[in-house]
């Protein structure tokens, strides 16, 4: 008789555990459904990250780094997602860190540089320090893609596109796959 009561009590205990698990699962589902959709700024940051990683995956350095070092210089609008660190589709990790625009480490400890808003003097000093070194540079802002950057991003509400400065690519020492150069020539579809 005691065994039957113990079994019934044990069964009731498992029912309570199961009921608690179901309630927790429902709460988790309800919580997941109430998470807000990413803001426009977050969507842009994610899109910029994808474009930057795409560009980096089609670049080849004279000596391929095991871990790609991407440095961010200057104030930026779209690097929130990028600075979290990431891995390329090939599995190569990308180490992202912020440096001051006049840091000597930009030329010696970076395989790629993501350039935010800089004064003309800061940009000139940065590109002078990168001259002759195999460093891929990507500019975020609306500057003309004629002032040293290899790639210049164009961020809009609908998409992220880029331009390529072929002269800078030729002088950089970094080889860029021709299909990326073709992508830069595509224009966004007219709305």
């Amino acid at each position: 008789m005691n065994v039957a009561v113990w079994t019934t009590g044990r069964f009731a205990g498992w029912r309570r555990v199961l009921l608690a698990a179901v309630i927790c699962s429902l709460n988790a589902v309800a919580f997941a459904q109430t998470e807000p959709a990413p803001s426009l700024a977050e969507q842009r940051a994610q899109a910029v990250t994808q474009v930057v990683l795409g560009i980096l995956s089609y670049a080849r350095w004279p000596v391929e780094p095991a871990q790609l070092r991407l440095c961010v210089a200057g104030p930026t609008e779209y690097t929130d997602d990028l600075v979290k660190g990431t891995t390329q589709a090939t599995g190569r990790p990308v180490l992202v860190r912020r440096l001051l625009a006049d840091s000597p480490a930009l030329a010696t400890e970076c395989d790629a540089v993501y350039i935010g808003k800089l004064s003309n003097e800061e940009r000139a000093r940065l590109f002078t320090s990168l001259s002759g070194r195999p460093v891929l540079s990507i500019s975020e802002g609306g500057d003309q893609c004629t002032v040293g950057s290899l790639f210049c991003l164009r961020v809009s509400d609908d998409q992220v596109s880029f331009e390529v400065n072929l002269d800078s690519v030729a002088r950089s020492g970094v080889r860029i796959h021709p299909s990326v150069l073709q992508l830069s020539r595509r224009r966004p579809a007219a709305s």
Side-chain angles (χ1 to χ4, degrees), residues 46-61 68 70 82 86-90 92 94 136 138 151 153 162 175-177 179-181 183:
Q46 291 168 356
V48 165
T49 296
Q50 292 306 311
V51 169
V52 169
L53 290 176
I55 290 170
L56 295 175
S57 69
Y58 284 97
R60 297 293 172 261
W61 285 261
L68 192 63
L70 173 64
L82 192 60
T86 189
T87 303
Q88 290 181 286
T90 60
R92 177 169 53 182
V94 179
L136 185 147
I138 302 171
F151 294 90
L153 299 180
F162 58 89
R175 292 187 331 247
I176 307 298
H177 194 279
S179 58
V180 174
L181 304 177
L183 280 175

Side-chain angles (χ1 to χ4, degrees), residues 8-35:
T8 305
R10 186 174 171 195
F11 179 71
W14 279 108
R15 266 186 24 202
R16 287 184 192 134
V17 169
L18 182 59
L19 181 61
V22 168
I23 290 172
C24 288
S25 296
L26 291 175
N27 283 340
V29 169
F31 178 74
Q33 291 176 351
T34 59
E35 283 185 21

Side-chain angles (χ1 to χ4, degrees), residues 128-169:
T128 299
S129 72
L130 298 179
S131 181
R133 300 190 185 271
V135 177
L136 185 147
S137 57
I138 302 171
S139 288
E140 178 182 88
D143 60 334
Q144 294 295 322
C145 203
T146 58
V147 191
S149 289
L150 277 66
F151 294 90
C152 301
L153 299 180
R154 302 287 176 244
V155 182
S156 68
D157 289 346
D158 300 331
Q159 70 178 21
V160 177
S161 60
F162 58 89
E163 293 178 36
V164 178
N165 182 329
L166 295 175
D167 185 46
S168 293
V169 169

Side-chain angles (χ1 to χ4, degrees), residues 59-101:
R60 297 293 172 261
W61 285 261
V63 176
E64 282 296 319
Q67 179 174 8
L68 192 63
R69 302 167 300 171
L70 173 64
C71 299
V72 178
T76 59
E77 290 183 56
Y78 307 113
T79 57
D80 290 348
D81 192 53
L82 192 60
V83 296
K84 294 175 187 173
T86 189
T87 303
Q88 290 181 286
T90 60
R92 177 169 53 182
V94 179
L95 173 68
V96 182
R97 67 181 184 156
R98 289 191 175 273
L99 293 172
L100 295 174

